Amino acid sequence: MEKSAFAKLENFFSKYKKILYKKGETILRAQDEPRGVLYLKKGYTKLYSVSKNAQELTLIIFKPEDFFPIMWAINATPHTYYMDAMTSVELYQAPREEFLKFIKNDNELLFEINSRVLTRFGGLLKRMEHAMFGNAYSKVASIIVIFVERHGLQDKKGILVHLPVTHQDIAKLLGIARETVSIEMKKMQKKGLIEYRSRHLIVKNLPLLIEESSIDSV
């Protein structure tokens, strides 16, 4: 988000209640009516669904400067997903009516919000496409490319993915087994595409990773 728009959003939410969560704690439950719009100041959270046989599918990982639940906030759509803290988290909670009044009076902020929503929607479309047509290798490669787009920081050895994500987290994002994710990521390490440093993922060759994530290469 543009710095000026981000500053406006942070200033707005800072007037309201601060809420702290520990890693692993549930922030929102499916079917529960949210108490307000939440702004993520520090940490990472994940939005996910749970099947009848208790399988978990991660839909979105939120980072600092994100706010949620956006469909409920803007369209009053019933909230049907779970949200947990992936790390320790600092949130601010504002009344929905005040949030809507605030963004409706700021065209710059509305544009930035729409831009962020469309970026996230593009990532979901990529995941859907790979779910239908890709193999395990291209699925894992594609989700790492998405991580770089949303959480990547330039590093001396490549691009550091500033996101505390495990093989299990990736498996839940893709709907495949954790063991499968580990196998495919080892292949990428052997090819020199990625490496790990203190549990953080580093992408060493992004152009080649993008090429290998393509469904056309499957």
Side-chain angles (χ1 to χ4, degrees):
M1 186 176 287
E2 291 293 330
K3 277 297 179 185
S4 58
F6 159 66
K8 292 176 185 177
L9 201 61
E10 183 167 292
N11 288 338
F12 167 77
F13 276 98
S14 66
K15 298 182 294 184
Y16 296 99
K17 181 180 179 181
K18 179 168 74 171
I19 308 173
L20 303 176
Y21 287 93
K22 297 178 181 178
K23 179 180 178 180
E25 286 190 309
T26 298
I27 299 168
L28 294 171
R29 297 183 184 277
Q31 309 302 335
D32 284 356
E33 179 75 10
R35 295 183 179 180
V37 183
L38 295 167
Y39 174 77
L40 184 56
K41 172 71 173 178
K42 295 179 182 178
Y44 293 86
T45 69
K46 63 176 181 179
L47 186 76
Y48 64 97
S49 61
V50 179
S51 68
K52 291 181 180 179
N53 60 354
Q55 285 187 308
E56 184 182 311
L57 177 65
T58 299
L59 303 169
I60 301 172
I61 293 177
F62 291 99
K63 64 179 182 177
E65 300 180 23
D66 280 333
F67 63 90
F68 42 79
I70 190 168
M71 292 188 293
W72 173 83
I74 295 177
N75 293 330
T77 304
H79 182 71
T80 58
Y81 302 107
Y82 293 88
M83 176 172 286
D84 288 357
M86 297 179 69
T87 64
S88 57
V89 162
E90 180 181 323
L91 296 165
Y92 288 83
Q93 180 177 284
R96 177 175 176 267
E97 296 77 13
E98 295 301 316
F99 172 76
L100 290 176
K101 188 187 302 182
F102 172 68
I103 64 172
K104 284 178 180 178
N105 293 326
D106 193 319
N107 290 331
E108 179 191 18
L109 186 56
L110 274 174
F111 178 84
E112 292 300 331
I113 289 171
N114 287 332
S115 176
R116 178 167 292 195
V117 169
L118 289 172
T119 298
R120 187 170 292 137
F121 181 64
L124 289 172
L125 288 178
K126 286 182 184 178
R127 287 169 57 192
M128 288 174 61
E129 190 176 16
H130 279 83
M132 291 297 296
F133 306 123
N135 58 24
Y137 184 87
S138 69
K139 289 177 182 179
V140 175
S142 69
I143 201 66
I144 295 175
V145 171
I146 292 173
F147 288 162
V148 169
E149 292 171 352
R150 292 210 72 218
H151 309 283
L153 297 172
Q154 193 61 49
D155 185 88
K156 292 180 179 179
K157 291 190 175 182
I159 302 174
L160 174 68
V161 176
H162 197 264
L163 178 68
V165 65
T166 65
H167 288 192
Q168 184 64 44
D169 292 326
I170 294 174
K172 289 178 179 178
L173 277 161
L174 298 173
I176 60 179
R178 180 193 59 77
E179 293 79 7
T180 301
V181 172
S182 298
I183 290 170
E184 302 307 329
M185 293 189 76
K186 283 181 181 178
K187 292 178 184 177
M188 295 175 198
Q189 285 180 282
K190 288 181 178 179
K191 290 182 177 183
L193 299 176
I194 63 173
E195 69 176 29
Y196 278 94
R197 182 196 302 158
S198 301
R199 296 186 179 181
H200 278 88
L201 181 65
I202 295 178
V203 176
K204 300 176 67 177
N205 191 332
L206 182 59
L208 184 55
L209 185 66
I210 292 173
E211 182 180 329
E212 300 213 345
S213 73
S214 171
I215 293 174
D216 293 335
S217 67
V218 174

